[in-house]
C-alpha cells in the first residue's frame, strides 16, 4: 500500500493534507519536509534549526507494541531539538486517542497547556481542535513551542493551500492562541 493511503486510512479527513500538498512539500520544501518510510511505518516531519515538528506518525497495527514507535522517537530525540506534534483530544469513543496519548507520555512528551489550536477544516467545514504536545530536551518554554507552531503553520500547513484546496486556511493568529492563565487541564495527567 502506498504511504499516503496508509496515512489517509488512519488519520481523520479533517487532519489530512492532500497527497498533492504533501508531495509538493517534499519536492519544494525538501530541505525541511521529510518522509521516513518502512514496511510498517510512515513518519512525515519538518526539521528546522531549532525544532522538529512531527506532521504524521503511522505504525501499522501488526507492528504496534514491538517498539517501532519508540525507535522512531529515539531517532528524532537524538537530534537534540524540541519535538512538537498535534494530537486529537481524548475521545472516549475512540480508544486509539488514549493509546496515542499514553505512548507520547511514556516518550517524555508534555502537554502545552497554554497553547490553543482550533482550525476550520476545509474538508468538513467544522472547527477541528487539537492539543499540542512537545518534548523539550533543554526545558524549552511553551512560548518557544508556540513560536515554532506558528512557523510550522505558515511554512507547512498553509503552504499553497488555495492551490490545493480551492481556498485558504485561516490566518495563524485565528488558529493558534497563547494563554498562560488557561483553565485547560493537562491531558496527560489522567492516563
Amino acid at each position: 500500500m502506498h504511504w499516503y493511503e496508509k496515512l489517509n486510512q488512519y488519520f481523520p479527513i479533517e487532519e489530512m493534507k492532500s497527497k498533492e500538498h504533501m508531495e509538493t512539500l517534499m519536492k519544494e520544501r525538501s530541505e525541511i519536509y521529510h518522509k521516513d518510510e518502512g514496511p510498517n511505518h510512515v513518519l512525515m516531519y519538518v526539521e528546522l534549526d531549532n525544532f522538529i515538528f512531527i506532521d504524521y506518525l503511522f505504525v501499522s497495527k501488526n507492528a504496534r507494541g514491538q517498539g517501532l514507535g519508540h525507535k522512531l522517537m529515539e531517532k528524532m530525540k537524538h537530534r537534540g531539538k524540541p519535538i512538537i506534534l498535534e494530537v486529537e483530544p481524548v475521545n472516549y469513543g475512540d480508544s486509539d486517542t488514549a493509546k496515542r496519548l499514553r505512548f507520547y507520555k511514556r516518550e517524555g512528551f508534555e502537554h502545552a497547556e497554554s497553547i490553543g489550536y482550533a482550525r476550520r477544516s476545509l474538508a468538513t467545514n467544522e472547527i477541528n481542535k487539537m492539543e499540542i504536545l512537545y518534548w523539550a530536551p533543554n526545558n524549552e518554554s511553551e512560548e518557544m513551542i508556540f513560536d515554532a507552531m506558528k512557523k510550522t503553520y505558515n511554512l507547512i500547513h498553509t503552504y499553497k493551500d488555495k492551490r490545493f484546496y480551492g481556498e485558504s486556511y485561516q490566518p495563524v493568529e485565528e488558529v493558534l492562541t497563547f494563554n498562560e492563565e488557561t483553565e485547560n487541564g493537562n491531558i496527560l495527567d489522567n492516563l
Side-chain angles (χ1 to χ4, degrees):
M1 186 183 305
H2 187 271
W3 63 268
Y4 185 80
E5 291 166 11
K6 291 176 186 175
L7 295 177
N8 204 31
Q9 287 181 2
Y10 185 68
F11 289 93
I13 187 169
E14 59 272 11
E15 292 178 30
M16 281 300 297
K17 289 177 179 61
S18 72
K19 183 178 176 189
E20 185 186 17
H21 187 172
M22 294 170 79
E23 287 175 338
T24 301
L25 285 167
M26 286 189 288
K27 184 178 175 186
E28 296 178 10
R29 293 260 155 103
S30 61
E31 72 285 358
I32 62 169
Y33 196 80
H34 309 283
K35 175 179 63 159
D36 179 333
E37 179 184 14
N40 292 306
H41 79 277
V42 178
L43 172 63
M44 306 298 292
Y45 66 97
V46 177
E47 184 168 8
L48 294 168
D49 292 341
N50 60 338
F51 71 92
I52 294 170
F53 174 80
I54 296 178
D55 204 8
Y56 300 96
L57 172 59
F58 165 81
V59 174
S60 67
K61 276 190 162 93
N62 61 341
R64 289 186 198 149
Q66 299 175 14
L68 178 57
H70 173 71
K71 287 178 188 155
L72 293 167
M73 284 299 107
E74 285 301 307
K75 194 169 154 182
M76 296 285 111
K77 289 177 181 176
H78 210 67
R79 294 177 164 107
K81 302 173 186 180
I83 302 171
I84 307 164
L85 52 94
E86 302 162 4
V87 294
E88 299 164 82
V90 176
N91 173 350
Y92 294 100
D94 177 6
S95 63
D96 275 357
T97 60
K99 287 177 187 172
R100 267 193 295 278
L101 290 172
R102 279 195 291 278
F103 167 76
Y104 288 118
K105 184 177 182 177
R106 279 194 312 273
E107 291 297 320
F109 280 74
E110 297 175 55
H111 178 214
E113 294 177 58
S114 48
I115 301 175
Y117 185 110
R119 178 175 77 167
R120 185 178 57 83
S121 166
L122 296 179
T124 65
N125 211 30
E126 294 177 11
I127 299 296
N128 187 35
K129 291 187 177 188
M130 300 292 278
E131 299 292 343
I132 307 302
L133 300 183
Y134 66 100
W135 178 77
N138 302 302
N139 294 316
E140 286 83 359
S141 69
E142 286 194 16
E143 289 94 336
M144 180 270 166
I145 302 302
F146 180 65
D147 288 340
M149 278 300 305
K150 288 193 300 189
K151 192 170 198 174
T152 300
Y153 186 83
N154 287 325
L155 280 175
I156 302 301
H157 291 351
T158 62
Y159 186 68
K160 296 188 176 182
D161 52 359
K162 192 165 178 70
R163 178 176 132 200
F164 301 126
Y165 308 107
E167 59 182 307
S168 296
Y169 280 106
Q170 299 141 273
V172 68
E173 52 278 351
E174 288 181 20
V175 173
L176 285 159
T177 56
F178 189 84
N179 181 3
E180 289 180 346
E181 306 299 317
T182 185
E183 301 282 320
N184 297 343
N186 187 326
I187 62 169
L188 301 176
D189 279 350
N190 298 320
L191 296 174

